[in-house]
C-alpha cells in the first residue's frame, strides 16, 4: 500500500524502538541511508539499530558508525516497535524479517517496488534513498551532523555514479551542496570509494577479456566465473567500462557468485532494463537493474541475451 511522505514521517515519529535494514548485496546508498537514519533517530532520543543480512564491501567500512551494523544470527530476536526497510522491496532483506513481528515501513526509490503487502513511501524520481532521508531530516527536525552528512552524500554519489547518471536532478545536487555545507568532504568519500584490491583489478582485467558483443554491437556482456569471483568482494564499477562502448545500448555483467548462482547487473542508455530484470525475478531502475539466475554461467548468458533481445 502506498503512503505519503507525511504519513511515513508520522509513523517514524510515533515509534521508539526502531530496527532499520536495507537490501542484501548492500551498496553505498543502502549503507549510507541506514547509517544516516540510525544516527538521526538516536539524536531524536529513539532507540535505533541496523541489521543487514550480508557482508559489506570494504570501501564502505570507513563510514561513521559502520561497526555498529549487525547481521542477524540464526534464531535471533530483536525487540522493536517499527521496522524501516530502506532502498529495496521486502524480498531482499534476508533473515532480518525473522527478527521481529513489528509493523514495517518501507521507504524506497526503485521503480520496480510496488509496495505489495507493506506500507511503502516510494519516490521514484529520487536519485537515491539518501535523497529521501535528507528530506526526512527536515520533516523530523533532525539535525544533520557532519557524520550524517557523510553517509547521505555517499548514497547520493554512488547511486548517481558521482552525479553523472540520468537520475541526477537539480534536487540531488542541491542536497549534495547542502551536505557539503554540513561538513562533508567530497574528496575523502571519493578516495574511499574508488579503492580497489589488487585481486579486484585483476578480476576487472579478466572480465574485460571475456567481453562479448551481441545484436550487431547493441549489447555488450562480460562474465566472471566462480573461480575468479571468489577472490574479491565487489564488482562495483566493472560494468561502466563497457557501458561506454559507443554502439552499446545495454551492457551486462554476469558474476557466478557460487556454483549455479549467477548475479546479473545491467545498464542501459535507453532500453528499460528494470522491466527485463523484473521478468527474471529481480528489479531496479530503468537504466540500472539486476537479478539472480540460479543456473550455470552458460545458461545464464543464454537466458539473459534472449530476454534483452526481446526488449530491444
Ligand atoms: P547493481 O547492478 O548495481 O547490482 O544493481 C543495479 C540496480 O538494480 C540497483 O538499484 C539494485 O538495487 C537493483 N537490483 C540489482 N539486483 C536486484 C535484484 O536481484 N532484485 C531487485 N529487486 N533489484 C535489484
Ligand atoms: Mn538506491
Amino acid at each position: 500500500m502506498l503512503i505519503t511522505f507525511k504519513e511515513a514521517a508520522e509513523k517514524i515519529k510515533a515509534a521508539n524502538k526502531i530496527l532499520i535494514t536495507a537490501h542484501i548485496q548492500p551498496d553505498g546508498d543502502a549503507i549510507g541511508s541506514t547509517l544516516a537514519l540510525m544516527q538521526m533517530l538516536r539524536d531524536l532520543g529513539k532507540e535505533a539499530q541496523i541489521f543487514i543480512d550480508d557482508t559489506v564491501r570494504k570501501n564502505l567500512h570507513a563510514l561513521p558508525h559502520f561497526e555498529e551494523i549487525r547481521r542477524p544470527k540464526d534464531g535471533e530476536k530483536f525487540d522493536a516497535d517499527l521496522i524501516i526497510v530502506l532502498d529495496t522491496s521486502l524480498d531482499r532483506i534476508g533473515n532480518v524479517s525473522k527478527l521481529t513481528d513489528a509493523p514495517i515501513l518501507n521507504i524506497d526509490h526503485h521503480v520496480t517496488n510496488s509496495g505489495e503487502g507493506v506500507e511503502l513511501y516510494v519516490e521514484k524520481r529520487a536519485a537515491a534513498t539518501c535523497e529521501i532521508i535528507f528530506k526526512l531530516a527536515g520533516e523530523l527536525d533532525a539535525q544533520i551532523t557532519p557524520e550524517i552528512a557523510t553517509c547521505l552524500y555517499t548514497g547520493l554519489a554512488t547511486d548517481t555514479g558521482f552525479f553523472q547518471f540520468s537520475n541526477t536532478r537539480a534536487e540531488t545536487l542541491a542536497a549534495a551542496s547542502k551536505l557539503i555545507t554540513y561538513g562533508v568532504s567530497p574528496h575523502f568519500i571519493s578516495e574511499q570509494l574508488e579503492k580497489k584490491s589488487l585481486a579486484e583489478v585483476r578480476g576487472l582485467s579478466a572480465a574485460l577479456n571475456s567481453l562479448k558483443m551481441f545484436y550487431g554491437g547493441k549489447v555488450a556482456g562480460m562474465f566472471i566465473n566462480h573461480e575468479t569471483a571468489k577472490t574479491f568482494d565487489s564488482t562495483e564499477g566493472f560494468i561502466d567500462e563497457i557501458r561506454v562502448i559507443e554502439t552499446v545500448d545495454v551492457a551486462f555483467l554476469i558474476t557466478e557468485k557460487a556454483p549455479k548462482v549467477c548475479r546479473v547487473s545491467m545498464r542501459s542508455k535507453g532500453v528499460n532494463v528494470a522491466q527485463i530484470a523484473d521478468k527474471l525475478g529481480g528489479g531496479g531502475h530503468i537504466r540500472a537493474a539486476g537479478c539472480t539466475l540460479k543456473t550455470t554461467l552458460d545458461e545464464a548468458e543464454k537466458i539473459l541475451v534472449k530476454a534483452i533481445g526481446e526488449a530491444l
Side-chain angles (χ1 to χ4, degrees):
M1 189 184 85
L2 297 181
I3 61 170
T4 64
F5 181 63
K6 291 248 186 260
E7 286 167 336
E10 287 310 318
K11 284 183 193 301
I12 296 172
K13 283 181 195 165
N16 288 305
K17 195 153 187 199
I18 302 167
L19 190 166
I20 304 168
T21 191
H23 55 87
I24 50 171
Q25 283 140 10
D27 54 16
D29 192 29
I31 299 299
S33 62
T34 51
L35 282 173
L37 183 61
M38 178 183 79
Q39 295 170 75
M40 279 164 44
L41 296 178
R42 286 180 179 175
D43 291 347
L44 292 168
K46 299 175 189 293
E47 281 182 51
Q49 176 62 47
I50 302 170
F51 280 90
I52 290 181
D53 194 12
D54 208 344
T55 53
V56 180
R57 65 177 303 210
K58 263 216 204 97
N59 306 45
L60 299 169
H61 294 201
L63 286 178
H65 297 273
F66 174 81
E67 68 287 351
E68 292 180 55
I69 297 179
R70 287 167 57 184
R71 189 169 181 174
K73 296 192 188 80
D74 263 355
E76 185 177 359
K77 294 285 166 201
F78 186 81
D79 179 31
D81 58 11
L82 182 68
I83 310 179
I84 304 179
V85 177
L86 296 180
D87 200 38
T88 181
S89 43
L90 301 191
D91 54 329
R92 297 182 71 215
I93 62 171
N95 284 327
V96 171
S97 55
K98 295 182 185 156
L99 287 165
T100 166
D101 294 328
I104 299 173
L105 168 64
N106 188 189
I107 298 177
D108 192 12
H109 70 129
H110 286 95
V111 291
T112 44
N113 191 344
S114 57
E116 237 171 65
V118 66
E119 297 196 312
L120 166 70
Y121 173 65
V122 63
E123 198 170 316
K124 296 179 178 173
R125 277 162 38 89
T129 299
C130 279
E131 201 179 302
I132 308 174
I133 302 300
F134 172 76
K135 216 170 79 177
L136 190 63
E139 190 66 28
L140 297 176
D141 258 334
Q143 204 203 332
I144 300 184
T145 61
E147 284 83 16
I148 292 174
T150 297
C151 296
L152 291 175
Y153 187 94
T154 296
L156 293 182
T158 51
D159 263 24
T160 57
F162 284 84
F163 310 104
Q164 292 184 61
F165 298 158
S166 59
N167 57 353
T168 308
R169 306 182 290 160
E171 289 90 331
T172 319
L173 291 171
S177 164
K178 263 270 163 7
L179 291 170
I180 292 171
T181 68
Y182 294 148
V184 165
S185 165
H187 76 92
F188 168 78
I189 296 176
S190 310
E191 282 162 19
Q192 293 303 320
L193 293 172
E194 73 186 7
K195 275 186 201 163
K196 288 190 194 311
S197 65
L198 176 61
E200 213 173 319
V201 174
R202 289 206 202 285
L204 172 61
S205 158
L208 286 170
N209 268 320
S210 75
L211 175 65
K212 273 196 203 172
M213 303 300 293
F214 306 88
Y215 303 113
K218 288 200 194 89
V219 177
M222 294 194 295
F223 309 85
I224 302 176
N225 63 26
H226 181 52
E227 199 59 30
T228 306
K230 68 185 182 196
T231 63
F232 54 94
D233 74 343
S234 171
T235 56
E236 186 87 31
F238 284 21
I239 196 168
D240 298 319
E241 302 292 335
I242 60 167
R243 185 179 57 89
V244 297
I245 299 172
E246 55 195 3
T247 58
V248 164
D249 186 340
V250 179
F252 69 80
L253 168 68
I254 310 181
T255 309
E256 191 184 19
K257 297 291 274 188
K260 289 208 172 176
V261 181
C262 289
R263 278 284 315 148
V264 174
S265 270
M266 285 184 278
R267 298 291 183 270
S268 106
K269 295 179 191 148
V271 171
N272 184 343
V273 286
Q275 222 164 45
I276 302 171
D278 203 22
K279 272 191 202 154
L280 298 174
H285 308 286
I286 291 168
R287 292 193 161 87
C291 60
T292 296
L293 297 172
K294 295 200 165 142
T295 60
T296 61
L297 204 49
D298 283 347
E299 193 57 32
E301 173 183 340
K302 281 191 202 127
I303 294 167
L304 186 64
V305 170
K306 180 162 175 277
I308 295 172
E310 284 162 5
L312 281 176

